[in-house]
C-alpha cells in the first residue's frame, strides 16, 4: 500500500510505545486449536495435570484460548527494555538489488545479547518459574538459540538451567554450547545416559545424531524427576506464541505510525514461534474482519511439517511422555538429516498455526536450503 | 552530572539526526601527531608516495591534520542508515547489580551484520577504492572483526577482497574465516608462502602463530604487487579514527539530547579505532577549552602499548615495509602470546592517541584478561 511520508531505513518505537500486553490470537479464532490430551487418559489435559510439567502460570496461559490480552509483568517489561522495542527495517538496498516494485520490511530481532527472538519467551518463562519459587528449569535446544536465550534469562534471575542439546549440534556448534555454559547452564548432549528415556533411545538407535524430539523427552524427564524443577520449551506451544506476539504488536505499531498496510506477511516456520508471534495481531484483525492480509509460512524442504505432514494428534517428543497435540506433524519419531538439527527441523508445528493453516487462513511453502543460499 | 528527564534504556537518534560529517580531532590538537616517515628516505611521506599503498582520497585524509570536518559521501550515508544511528544504552541493570551511584552508558556498535564498529571505516575505505576505479583491496585481520566488516563492504560494492588472517586466529575461528569467504573474500592464513615477506618470516620463525604485524606486511606486499589494488587497514591510522568519529559524534548528540554531560569516558584500546572514534568530539571540546572530561584507555596487560611501550618511531608491520609512525609501541617484532592475536594484540597505538596520551590529555590502564572474566 502507498503512503506519502518518507519511511526511514529503520522504524524504532519509543520505549514508552512498547506493548504492555501480549496478544492471544486464540481468543479471536472461531475454530480453536484442538486441546492438548493427557497421554495417560486420552482426555483434554487440565491446568492441574499440566502444572506437573510447566509452571502453574504458564500452564494457565497454555490452556487459555479465550483471554485476548495478558498483562506483561513489570519485571519482564524492564528486561525487555534492554533490547526492545526492536526495529522494523525497510530493506531499501535489497529492493534495489532485486529491482522489485515491492516494498520490503523485516522485523529485526537479533539485537540482543542472546542473538535471537527466543529471549522474548525465555525471560517470560524464567520469570514465572522464579516467581513460583522454583530452583530451576530444564529444556532442550537444537542449534542453540533457545538454549542460549534461556541460559541468559536464568543467569539474570539466578535460576538453575539444564539444557539437553541435540548431539549433532552439540558437536557442530562448540561456541553456542560454551556460551550457554558461560551463562552458568549445564549442557548435556542428547540422547544421553542421564535419563531413562535417553538410555532407551540410545539402546534402540545407538548411532543416532539426536533430534529435538529426543531432547524434549530427556528434558521433561529431568524436570519431573527433580524437586523444584519444571520444563520449558522455546517454540510450538501456545504460551510461546503468546509471548512472541510482542514481535507482531511492535511491527504493527511501527507500520501504523507510517500508515503502511502490508499486503503479504511472510515468516520462516520451524515450530512456529517466530512466525506465530509476528502474524498474531494481523491475524487477529483478519479473524475479526477488520483487515485482510496474505500470510505465508516458509518451511525447510527437509522438514516440511505443514506442506507434507498430516494434521493429527501426535506426541510432542520422541519418547512419547509429553501431552498429545493436534498439529501438522511428520511423526514424533522423525529424525532430521544430520546436517542440521535446529528449530527448523522439529517434526511438528504449533497447534495454533496448524489450525489457521487447516482453515485456509494461512498459506505455506517449503524451500530447499541450497536454493536459499544460491538466491542470497 | 544530573538531569531531570527520565532517560530511556536506549537513546536512538533519528536517521536525519545522524552526523553528515566526520570530525578530525587532529585539527584541534596543538601538538600534532608526528608525521609518517617514508622508510626509504626517512622524510615525512607525501600524499603521492602514500598513494601507492592507499587510495588517493584516503592518503589525503591520512595526512590532513588541519581540516576539522570531512563531508561523508552520500553513498556511505545511505549504507550507514542500514544500521546507524547506533544506540547509546543506559546500563540500568548493571548499575543495580554493581550497586553503584555511577550512571553508566555504553555505545552499542554490534548492531550490524558484520557485528562490530569496524564497518564504519570498512565501507568508507571500500567506497573510496571503488570510486577510484580499483579492482580490489587487501588487508589483514586478527580475530576477524575487521576482515568480516571489509568483506561485507566489498561484497556490497562488488570489489575484490583479499584478507591475510593471523594464523592462530585462522585456526581458532573457523566461523569468522568462513563468514568472510561467504562474502566472497579470499582468506589466507598468515604468515604464508604467497608473499616474499611471508616466506622470509616463515624461514626465520617456522613455528610462528603469526601476528597482526606479519599479516600487515603480507597484505601491503600483495596490494603493491597487483595492478588495481590498494591496501586498507582497520585501526591505528588517522583516517580510521576520522571515520570512527561517527561513534563519538552520535554518542555526544544522544547525550546532548538529554542534557547529560559525562564525567569519564572509557574505551578499550588495541590500535585505537574504537576509543579514538568515541572520544574524538569530546576531546575536541577539551582541546578547545569548551569542556573538561577524563578519558581512560583500557588495554590488555598482555599487549600494553600505552602503559609499557615506548613513544618512538617504529614500523607499523613486522616486515618493515610500511611507513614509520611515531607511536607508543612494543616493537614491530612483538609476537603476542598464542591464546589470542586479535586487534587488542597489536604492537602499536594510533599516533593520534599516542600524542594525546603523551600530552597528558588521556589516561591509560592495563588489565588482565582473567580478571576481566572474573569480574563479569
Amino acid at each position: 500500500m502507498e503512503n506519502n511520508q518518507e519511511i526511514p531505513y529503520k522504524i524504532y518505537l519509543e520505549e514508552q510505545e512498547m506493548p504492555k500486553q501480549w496478544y492471544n490470537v486464540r481468543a479471536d479464532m472461531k475454530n480453536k486449536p484442538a486441546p492438548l490430551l493427557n497421554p495417560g487418559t486420552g482426555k483434554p489435559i487440565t491446568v492441574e495435570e499440566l502444572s506437573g510439567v510447566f509452571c502453574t502460570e504458564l500452564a494457565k496461559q497454555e490452556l487459555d484460548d479465550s483471554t485476548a490480552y495478558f498483562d506483561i509483568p513489570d519485571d519482564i517489561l524492564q528486561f525487555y527494555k534492554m533490547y526492545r522495542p526492536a526495529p522494523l527495517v525497510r530493506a531499501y538496498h535489497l529492493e534495489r538489488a532485486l529491482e522489485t516494485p515491492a516494498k520490503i520490511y523485516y522485523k529485526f530481532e537479533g539485537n540482543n545479547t542472546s542473538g535471537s527472538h527466543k529471549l522474548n519467551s525465555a525471560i517470560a518463562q524464567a520469570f514465572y518459574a522464579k516467581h513460583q519459587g522454583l530452583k530451576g528449569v530444564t529444556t532442550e535446544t537444537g542449534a542453540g538459540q533457545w538454549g542460549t536465550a534461556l541460559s541468559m534469562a536464568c543467569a539474570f534471575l539466578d535460576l538453575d538451567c539444564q539444557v539437553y542439546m541435540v548431539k549433532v549440534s552439540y558437536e557442530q556448534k562448540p561456541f553456542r554450547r560454551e556460551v550457554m555454559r558461560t551463562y552458568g547452564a549445564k549442557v548435556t548432549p542428547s540422547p544421553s545416559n542421564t535419563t531413562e528415556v535417553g538410555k532407551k533411545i540410545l539402546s534402540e538407535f545407538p548411532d543416532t545424531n539426536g533430534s529435538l524430539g529426543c531432547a524434549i523427552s530427556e528434558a521433561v524427564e529431568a524436570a519431573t524427576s527433580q524437586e523444584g524443577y519444571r520444563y520449558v520449551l522455546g517454540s510450538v506451544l501456545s504460551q510461546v506464541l503468546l509471548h512472541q506476539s510482542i514481535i507482531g504488536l511492535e511491527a504493527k505499531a511501527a507500520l501504523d505510525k507510517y500508515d503502511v498496510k502490508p499486503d503479504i506477511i511472510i515468516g520462516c516456520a520451524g515450530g512456529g514461534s517466530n512466525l506465530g508471534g509476528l502474524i498474531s495481531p494481523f491475524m487477529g484483525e483478519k479473524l475479526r474482519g477488520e483487515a485482510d492480509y496474505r500470510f505465508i509460512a516458509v518451511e525447510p524442504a527437509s522438514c516440511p511439517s505443514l506442506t507434507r505432514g498430516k494434521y493429527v494428534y501426535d506426541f510432542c517428543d520422541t519418547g512419547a511422555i509429553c501431552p498429545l497435540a493436534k498439529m501438522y506433524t511428520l511423526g514424533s519419531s522423525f529424525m532430521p538429516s544430520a546436517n542440521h538439527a535446529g528449530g527448523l527441523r522439529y517434526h511438528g508445528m504449533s497447534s495454533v498455526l496448524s489450525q489457521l493453516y487447516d482453515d485456509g487462513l494461512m498459506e505455506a511453502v517449503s524451500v530447499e536450503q541450497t536454493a536459499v543460499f544460491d538466491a542470497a
Side-chain angles (χ1 to χ4, degrees), chain A residues 14-15 18 20 22 39 62 69 81 93 112-113 116 121 125 129 133 138 164 193 200 208 257 260 334 357 364:
Chain A
E14 301 288 327
E15 275 167 27
M18 194 173 75
K20 291 178 180 56
W22 293 305
E62 189 61 33
Y69 288 94
K81 284 184 184 173
H93 289 290
N112 70 67
T113 309
S116 82
S121 187
Q125 296 191 48
T138 72
Y164 287 85
N193 278 313
K200 185 160 170 287
T208 180
K257 215 166 173 171
V260 178
F334 174 75
Y357 178 61

Side-chain angles (χ1 to χ4, degrees), chain A residues 208-237:
Chain A
T208 180
N209 289 300
S211 72
L212 280 171
C214 297
I216 293 173
S217 294
E218 289 203 275
V220 171
E221 183 183 318
T224 52
S225 62
Q226 291 176 91
E227 183 70 29
Y229 281 76
R230 291 294 186 282
Y231 166 71
V232 297
L233 176 63
S235 188
V236 185
L237 296 173

Side-chain angles (χ1 to χ4, degrees), chain A residues 113-114 119 141 144-153 176 179-180 183:
Chain A
T113 309
S114 81
L119 194 57
T141 200
Q145 288 194 326
W146 167 247
T148 302
L150 187 70
S151 302
M152 180 178 160
R176 274 284 172 183
V179 164
M180 291 185 262
Y183 279 124

Side-chain angles (χ1 to χ4, degrees), chain A residues 22 31 41 94 103 129 197 209 354:
Chain A
W22 293 305
N31 298 326
T41 65
L94 181 61
K103 296 180 175 68
V197 67
N209 289 300
S354 291

Side-chain angles (χ1 to χ4, degrees), chain A residues 352-374:
Chain A
V352 173
L353 294 183
S354 291
Q355 185 62 45
L356 291 168
Y357 178 61
D358 204 57
D359 286 343
L361 290 159
M362 183 179 84
E363 304 162 46
V365 297
S366 70
V367 293
E368 296 276 355
Q369 174 173 289
T370 44
V372 173
F373 284 151
D374 287 348

Side-chain angles (χ1 to χ4, degrees), chain A residues 13-31:
Chain A
L13 300 175
E14 301 288 327
E15 275 167 27
Q16 62 267 29
E17 294 174 306
M18 194 173 75
K20 291 178 180 56
Q21 297 182 308
W22 293 305
Y23 168 65
N24 182 10
V25 70
R26 288 170 293 171
D28 285 310
M29 290 169 69
K30 269 178 216 153
N31 298 326

